[in-house]
Amino acid sequence: MTEAKIIDGKAFAKRIRERVAKEVSILKENYDLVPSLTVVLVGDDPASKVYVTSKGKQSSEAGMGSNTIHLDENVSEQDLLDLIKKLNNDTSVNGILVQLPLPKHIDEANVISAINPDKDVDGFHTVNVGRLWTGAKSPIPCTPFGCLQMLRETLGDLTGKRALVLSRSNIVGKPMAALLLSENCTVTIAHSSTADLADRCREADILIAAVGRPQMILGDWIKPGATVIDVGINRIDAPEKGNNKDGSLKSRLVGDVNFDEAKLNASYITPVPGGVGPMTIANLLRNTLIAACRQKGLAEPNL
Ligand code: GUN
């Protein structure tokens, strides 16, 4: 049996970052414009801190202006809303990203809707959600767009394919479904209450997994020849790696798909790490670049 080909997200993401960096240098040279991203982090969630640090580092490496504002865990919703208002009015800020999740006392929907939709580089504002579902120009949520880019590059035309999206989140599942629909796929959105989930998965030519349950999707859930995109990033104990200095078990990252089993059935599969993950920040840079061009009335680069 031939094993699935690996879709190399790291390589795809590197190409996007290089193209963005080139466009940024052209904007600087020709228009004295430096696209700039402000990331707001509330609290000290370790995973969020890692993501935010990478977002800042990669935007700087692409030649963009990069600013991270770190607020205390206990900041009031009103203070956060006031900060967003200030950033909306600051013409030197082209993109605003508030890292999610937010502490429980802050209403995420209120915060997202306070961001100027034209600076919303996540594409989470309801105006941008509406634009996406109606086919208007909008910033496209970074992770699902990364999945789509890899699918297009790997499979070409997606017309007529059966796609199953295992997630109904606003960040991944719903925008992913909208994007696949716009590529003429027949789309099913599945979730924790979906009946006969394994059978639904077996019907899918394209399977997008983003449930956050380590290795939940087994090899025999995969249709032979399917393309599997694993958005999950889960940390599990890795006894084979031994112990940390404090005696705890070492860990490793796995996706929502049992990779070793699934690769025996699939034609193409993304690994974890090194699959979807790197595409998210690459597309954040792309969205920031495009937002800057739109705000200044310049032609958008075709990336
Ligand atoms: N938390 C996890 N993923 C994301 C993302 O894509 N954007 C934001 N703002 N927060 C996140």
Side-chain angles (χ1 to χ4, degrees), residues 143-223:
T143 303
F145 191 48
C147 297
L148 182 67
Q149 287 162 320
M150 293 194 288
L151 285 168
R152 275 197 200 135
E153 293 272 336
T154 305
L155 299 176
D157 185 8
L158 305 181
T159 298
K161 302 219 180 279
R162 286 188 187 198
L164 183 123
V165 180
L166 187 43
S167 159
R168 55 178 157 182
S169 71
N170 292 333
I171 295 182
V172 179
K174 289 176 196 166
M176 187 77 249
L179 291 172
L180 290 166
L181 195 58
S182 68
E183 299 287 317
N184 306 313
C185 291
T186 302
V187 183
T188 302
I189 303 180
H191 46 76
S192 50
S193 302
T194 296
D196 306 317
L197 179 60
D199 284 338
R200 298 290 76 73
C201 289
R202 285 185 195 109
E203 293 163 352
D205 303 308
I206 294 170
L207 178 63
I208 314 275
V211 269
R213 296 229 209 135
Q215 299 174 313
M216 171 189 153
I217 294 165
L218 306 178
D220 73 348
W221 296 25
I222 310 290
K223 179 178 176 178

Side-chain angles (χ1 to χ4, degrees), residues 39-97:
V39 176
V40 180
L41 171 66
V42 181
D44 293 302
D45 176 72
S48 291
K49 273 182 161 173
V50 171
Y51 290 133
V52 164
T53 304
S54 294
K55 286 169 182 177
K57 183 165 172 271
Q58 292 187 34
S59 44
S60 298
E61 281 169 3
M64 293 184 174
S66 163
N67 184 22
T68 300
I69 300 176
H70 190 177
L71 300 177
D72 188 84
E73 174 85 22
N74 298 314
V75 69
S76 70
E77 183 174 314
Q78 191 55 53
D79 282 354
L80 178 55
L81 294 174
D82 289 346
L83 170 65
I84 291 171
K85 198 170 167 192
K86 209 175 96 198
L87 297 171
N88 283 342
N89 292 331
D90 183 342
T91 51
S92 72
V93 174
N94 303 115
I96 303 169
L97 179 145

Side-chain angles (χ1 to χ4, degrees), residues 51 55 97-101 122 124 143 171 280:
Y51 290 133
K55 286 169 182 177
L97 179 145
V98 178
Q99 184 67 23
L100 303 178
D122 269 321
F124 293 165
T143 303
I171 295 182
T280 300

